[in-house]
Amino acid sequence: MKATLELTKWIRPHILEMKGYRSARDTFNTTDQSVVLLDANEHPKPTPYNRYPDPYQRALRAQLADRYGLDPSWLMLGNGSDEVLDLIIRASCTPGKDRCLLLPPTYGMYQVLSKLNALETQEIPLDEHFQPKVDLILQESNSSTKILFLCSPNNPTGNLLDADKIEQLLNGFDGLVVIDEAYIDFTSETSWVNRLKEFDNLIVVQTLSKSYGLAGIRLGLCYANPELIEVLLKIKPPYNINSATQQIALERLQDAATFHEQLKMLIDQRDELANELAQLDWVKEVFPSNANFLLLRVDDAQERYQQALASGFVLRNRHGLPGCDQCLRISVGTKQENEALIKCLKTFR
Ligand SMILES: *Cc1c(COP(=O)(O)O)cnc(C)c1O
């Protein structure tokens, strides 16, 4: 493939130079049952899992890329999006030297993974509408600011980031812009994957953990320019997506009808739950949500958290995060769970 990106701006030099591991299934890949595979020290007994999985997840990637009319070379898969985020950071940022830019309140793993990789983080809180302060972000970043993490819809606030602000950041920020779309299916907005060909520095991360109900199989998705994807494929653990995960994901993706039905149920339940919560006198504000959870400001988050827990409902206390004073985050459950929750919350004094 002809190189067109200035990869040296985004990828650490030793990673551009190194060769990846050539696994047995990398060197020789076949579905031909008549071939005798004696190259990977596998157990010969033909059980469902005696063979190593496809290191490039060809069938699954073809399906997932096709949803956006893309070639599979625009996509890599990780053991959850957490692995994807870690690989992006390790590919781009030199420990002790480079920085990641975070916009709190947001998903905690950006901070944890940056710290794990011995990177400084710079935090520029979202504004009072939970939107990025574009001018400040661009002003504060320099050549060692390698990655800007955007989460849209944002966790824990639930709102989408303004598309025009994201576009200004994509155009103005020199490093990689990672847009985490873990909750994109709960919105009517289209994914930034559709705009990948316009922005070389754009990486879109998605997951099957939320809207697909498959948090347990650990499957994260990373869409980006093929030259960036090639680097990530080179440095990922060879067999990072196990056979069971590939199989289960493929099966789930076949059943679009169930997916859309369950998605609609969750969105309806979210809106219903938001209405009910807004009527409680100790709830000060229910923030609009484009996700499968609600952020609400209450009179005393710790007390309400404890009261709910005592009744058997585990909520998330987000008090302490910037802009989230006295805020709780509640995931949308089943209709029965949500009704039981509201019934319980109504008794709080
Ligand atoms: C839940 C969530 C994820 C999911 O991570 P996985 O490792 O794929 O389960 C990623 N990003 C955000 C913002 C999330 O809230």
Side-chain angles (χ1 to χ4, degrees), residues 61-167:
R61 277 169 70 217
Q63 279 241 2
L64 289 166
D66 190 56
R67 302 191 300 173
Y68 296 101
L70 290 171
D71 185 84
S73 58
W74 289 76
L75 167 70
M76 68 88 61
L77 302 178
N79 184 0
S81 25
D82 293 339
E83 184 183 53
V84 168
L85 296 168
D86 185 56
L87 288 169
I88 296 168
I89 290 175
R90 279 196 283 157
S92 184
C93 302
T94 302
K97 177 168 168 282
D98 292 328
R99 295 186 304 169
C100 293
L101 230 164
L102 319 179
L103 315 183
T106 194
Y107 186 46
M109 282 304 283
Y110 313 139
Q111 172 80 1
V112 170
L113 292 170
S114 301
K115 292 292 169 205
L116 180 62
N117 286 290
L119 301 169
E120 275 195 42
T121 53
Q122 184 169 5
E123 307 199 0
I124 301 183
L126 296 170
D127 70 15
E128 68 273 24
H129 306 293
F130 297 133
Q131 292 296 332
K133 296 172 183 162
V134 174
D135 293 340
L136 192 58
I137 292 167
L138 296 180
Q139 202 178 306
E140 290 288 314
S141 41
N142 58 36
S143 62
S144 64
T145 320
K146 295 289 181 182
I147 303 178
L148 168 62
F149 286 102
L150 302 177
C151 187
S152 183
N154 186 42
N155 178 4
T157 58
N159 62 296
L160 282 157
L161 305 186
D162 287 346
D164 54 342
K165 293 203 161 82
I166 294 184
E167 187 156 347

Side-chain angles (χ1 to χ4, degrees), residues 103-109 111 123 125-126 130 154-157 295 297 301 316-329:
L103 315 183
T106 194
Y107 186 46
M109 282 304 283
Q111 172 80 1
E123 307 199 0
L126 296 170
F130 297 133
N154 186 42
N155 178 4
T157 58
L295 186 76
R297 181 163 284 132
R316 193 94 150 118
N317 186 353
R318 299 284 72 186
H319 179 72
L321 296 186
C324 294
D325 284 353
Q326 306 301 345
C327 283
L328 297 173
R329 195 192 68 195

Side-chain angles (χ1 to χ4, degrees), residues 14 23 43 60 86 95 151 178 192 199 215 217 233 276 321 344 349:
H14 77 283
S23 67
H43 195 294
L60 184 53
D86 185 56
C151 187
V178 175
W192 282 90
F199 307 103
I217 71 168
L233 288 174
E276 294 282 348
L321 296 186
C344 165
R349 291 292 165 260

Side-chain angles (χ1 to χ4, degrees), residues 281-309:
D281 59 5
W282 49 269
V283 171
K284 305 296 167 206
E285 186 172 5
V286 180
F287 293 92
S289 172
N290 277 290
N292 66 336
F293 58 82
L294 291 162
L295 186 76
L296 46 151
R297 181 163 284 132
V298 300
D299 53 354
D300 184 332
Q302 185 56 22
E303 190 195 336
R304 301 308 180 184
Y305 171 84
Q306 287 297 347
Q307 277 182 308
L309 187 59

